[in-house]
């Protein structure tokens, strides 16, 4: 159906930056919303940012002004530029893609997750 491959996580010092990528492939007719979520140990998964096909964005309050979500519709790829990272941003980050898949219909797919650790 839809395969998602994430990249870009790692260890960074407070105040640093990282850029996450998530590429979608498969029998995709089109992709609607794409988003990033995160889950810290002992906490529920939460929305970080999302972007529609037309480029409308929505951000969680705790990342506004620091993170930027973007997408490349030709590459079926969504990005998350994370600046001014804080220790509390440490979590596993997951991408989510809402797509219309040939012979299947509407789907919601999750990436495998990429670890982001902010520590000195």
């Amino acid at each position: 159906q839809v395969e998602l491959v994430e990249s870009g996580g790692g260890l960074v010092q407070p105040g640093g930056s990282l850029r996450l990528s998530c590429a979608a492939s498969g029998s995709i007719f089109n992709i609607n919303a794409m988003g990033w979520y995160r889950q810290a140990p002992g906490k529920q998964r939460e929305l970080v940012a999302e972007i529609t096909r037309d480029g409308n964005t929505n951000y969680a309050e705790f990342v506004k002004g620091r993170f930027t979500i973007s997408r490349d519709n030709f590459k079926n790829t969504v990005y998350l530029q994370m600046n001014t990272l804080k220790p509390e941003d440490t979590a596993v980050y997951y991408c989510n893609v809402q797509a219309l898949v040939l012979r299947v219909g509407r789907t919601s797919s999750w990436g495998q997750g990429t670890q982001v650790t902010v520590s000195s």
Side-chain angles (χ1 to χ4, degrees), residues 15-18 65-68 81-86 89:
S17 298
L18 284 174
R66 299 189 298 125
F67 292 9
T68 302
Q81 178 66 44
M82 305 185 293
N83 298 328
T84 319
L85 283 159
K86 305 175 182 180
D89 293 319

Side-chain angles (χ1 to χ4, degrees), residues 18-20 36 48-49 51 57 59 63-71 78-83:
L18 284 174
R19 188 189 194 213
L20 306 182
W36 288 97
V48 175
I51 183 168
T57 58
Y59 293 94
V63 301
K64 282 185 178 179
R66 299 189 298 125
F67 292 9
T68 302
I69 189 170
S70 61
R71 63 189 282 174
V78 61
Y79 306 96
L80 186 67
Q81 178 66 44
M82 305 185 293
N83 298 328

